Amino acid sequence: MSDATVALVTLAVVIAVFVVNRLPVGVVAVTTALSLWLTGLLEFEQAVAGFGDPVVIFIATLFVVSEAVDSSGLTAWAGQRVVAVAGDSRVKVLVALMLVCAVLTALISLNGSVAALLPMAVMLAMRLGLAPSRLLMPMVYAGSAGSLLVLMGSPVNVIVSEAADDAGTGPFGFFDFAALGVPILIATVLIAVLLVDRVLPERRPLTAPPDLSRHAGALATQYQLRDGFFRLRVRDRSPFVGQSIDAVDFGGRADLDLVAVQGSEGLPVTDRVVAVDDVLVVIGPSEQVSSLVVDAVLAVAMTPVTEGDAETVIGREAGVAEVVVSPRSPLVGETVFAGMRRAADLVILAVQRSGRDQGDRPVELAAGDSMLLYGAWPALDALAEDRDVLVVDSPDLMRRQAIALGSTAGRAAIILGAMVLLLAFGLVPPAAAGLIAVLALVLSGVVSSAGAYRAVSWETVVLVGGLIPLSTAIQSSGAGEEIANVIVDIVGDGSPVALMAVLFVATGLLGIVISNTATVLIVLPVGLAVAADTGYSVRPILMLLAVAASAAMLTPVQTPANMMVMAPAGYRFGDYCKLGLPIMAAWLVISLVVIPIVWPFTP
């Protein structure tokens, strides 16, 4: 059996395994790389070289950049701009949502932009009385078009750019894709506006992502945060120092009430005198508290957090989280009170039992009690790993939806802009630009080191790293040439436009059953062989493959973004092609017109 035959058999098996979808894609990718070595098609170093390829490194860095843009509140700001600009016009909302998704995708990836905009899009549809099914699919398809605006818009773009460089024609420029991406995006928006009411069903979601953009206010209302409390730290010259707690006198301020005293070690104080750095938890009118602070030499450690002032409930630096005391938690039996500081950065705002507020007095916790906690966002995020309590709603998700332009937004925007400039002017290789951006994001505190690791979709990294050797084997074994010969024979002596049409359709059909990233890696050597067979330049063919692989619009399984909107919109499997086919047809026509003009077939 020739090497070309072995490569083709391997390719057929890989496609079949993807179609059956019984094994994780990472397992398929690694198994593919090892099988190429075991069959002798590649040396072991070649079989594993994909995992260290600069393309893989660059793709991994894009996930971290995406996380930084999202977590800093830039995507929340973009979503709020949609609401502000579009108003209550259905067409304006649809167009604005599609354009925002396209621009975000160009900056942070399709999956990231859809994940960030999905709750806001569902919420917007509900507020306007629209079925989410009329908004979500067009939003995703516009995001797919947005991936063709710049080099960093999609792993597919990075892969074909690297292939062009390896072929000796140089990589594609940062904005080269926009020559196709802009008209494709315009066509996608126009088709959606014209056809969405005719071809998409009007269904309500079976499930919907939580809308936490206004959740902090709802929690403040539920926990009756009307008057709030003050935390007042005792200074060393305060007359309260040395007094018995029962003897603390507020000097005729009858409206002030002492809830509890908390010691510097964090525990409530009941059986000793007041000491320096103890905290008095006080409720009452703010003007009386102000005079007490002056007269009793106190320091205000915390002002009231109430439902009437949204800025104190949730902000750039701090927010709230609802937790439930878990069974067998060591907190069971512990005495707490509203205003008590827990750990270093968390304060208990209120305690409820069976839905009833327990007031301002100390209470002994029981399993099932709920608490509203206030504190810095990192401290709230850490609650997800705390086994003593169960977090009701994700603080991280609440922050991303509610806080536009958070405290790290400026740094994230500057670093993102610097990365774009490095890529646009080709000052450093793409992988180097990505690594520099990630390093800057971590060192500046926009993303933590652990957060950077979590942000990377390792499944995608392993998939690309494992299938790059398959692409290499198809090319080096001659299998790509054999497939190319078949395609050229089908087209005959027709024009290069006919050849492009066949390649587009073949790539689109393959993309029905496997992801767009895997698709481009499989068809890439075929495209290169077609260029060599016909004497055409590789650049127009590679650009065509990028467009065809990005046109993942026929089934929900082609991209994670397609799957994300399936349940929230109530889509069925066959709904995708109703809008996807006319959009793909438009992409094909635009490609056949624009590509020969911008990238001539003559080398």
Side-chain angles (χ1 to χ4, degrees), residues 460-494:
T460 300
V461 170
V462 173
L463 173 66
V464 177
L467 291 188
I468 283 178
L470 176 60
S471 184
T472 301
I474 293 174
Q475 188 173 355
S476 62
S477 67
E481 294 180 8
E482 292 188 7
I483 299 176
N485 289 335
V486 173
I487 293 176
V488 172
D489 289 341
I490 292 175
V491 178
D493 296 328

Side-chain angles (χ1 to χ4, degrees), residues 58-145:
F58 185 42
I59 290 172
T61 63
L62 292 181
F63 286 110
V64 182
V65 174
S66 171
E67 166 66 15
V69 172
D70 189 24
S71 63
S72 65
L74 289 172
T75 51
W77 174 82
Q80 292 176 7
R81 293 308 93 202
V82 171
V83 178
V85 172
D88 57 359
S89 168
R90 184 192 67 81
V91 174
K92 286 183 179 179
V93 168
L94 176 62
V95 172
L97 193 60
M98 293 179 72
L99 293 179
V100 168
C101 189
V103 173
L104 280 179
T105 297
L107 297 176
I108 69 171
S109 82
L110 176 61
N111 298 337
S113 63
V114 171
L117 294 175
L118 180 56
M120 185 271 299
V122 174
M123 172 199 67
L124 195 57
M126 295 301 187
R127 288 180 186 174
L128 297 177
L130 300 175
S133 57
R134 297 286 175 84
L135 291 180
L136 297 187
M137 190 183 297
M139 179 185 76
V140 174
Y141 290 172
S144 295

Side-chain angles (χ1 to χ4, degrees), residues 29 64 129 174 178 213 224 230 250 360 381 462 492 507 523 539 547 583:
V64 182
F174 186 76
S213 58
Q224 304 174 16
F230 294 81
F250 290 155
D360 301 313
D381 291 338
V462 173
T507 304
V523 300
R539 295 180 74 80
V547 176
I583 292 179

Side-chain angles (χ1 to χ4, degrees), residues 381-513:
D381 291 338
L383 292 172
E385 307 297 329
D386 191 337
R387 296 186 178 183
D388 296 341
V389 294
L390 306 174
V391 180
V392 178
D393 292 295
S394 168
D396 180 61
L397 184 58
M398 184 190 303
R399 181 180 71 250
R400 291 173 189 247
Q401 291 186 18
I403 304 301
L405 303 180
S407 59
T408 61
R411 282 168 280 166
I414 292 172
I415 294 170
L416 176 64
M419 177 182 172
V420 169
L421 290 176
L422 290 175
L423 292 170
F425 291 99
L427 301 178
V428 296
L435 289 172
I436 292 171
V438 169
L439 187 62
L441 290 170
V442 173
L443 292 178
S444 64
V446 177
V447 178
S448 66
S449 178
Y453 284 112
R454 289 194 300 269
V456 177
S457 172
W458 296 107
E459 181 179 76
T460 300
V461 170
V462 173
L463 173 66
V464 177
L467 291 188
I468 283 178
L470 176 60
S471 184
T472 301
I474 293 174
Q475 188 173 355
S476 62
S477 67
E481 294 180 8
E482 292 188 7
I483 299 176
N485 289 335
V486 173
I487 293 176
V488 172
D489 289 341
I490 292 175
V491 178
D493 296 328
S495 68
V497 172
L499 180 63
M500 290 172 59
V502 172
L503 281 174
F504 189 99
V505 172
T507 304
L509 291 175
L510 183 60
I512 292 177
V513 294

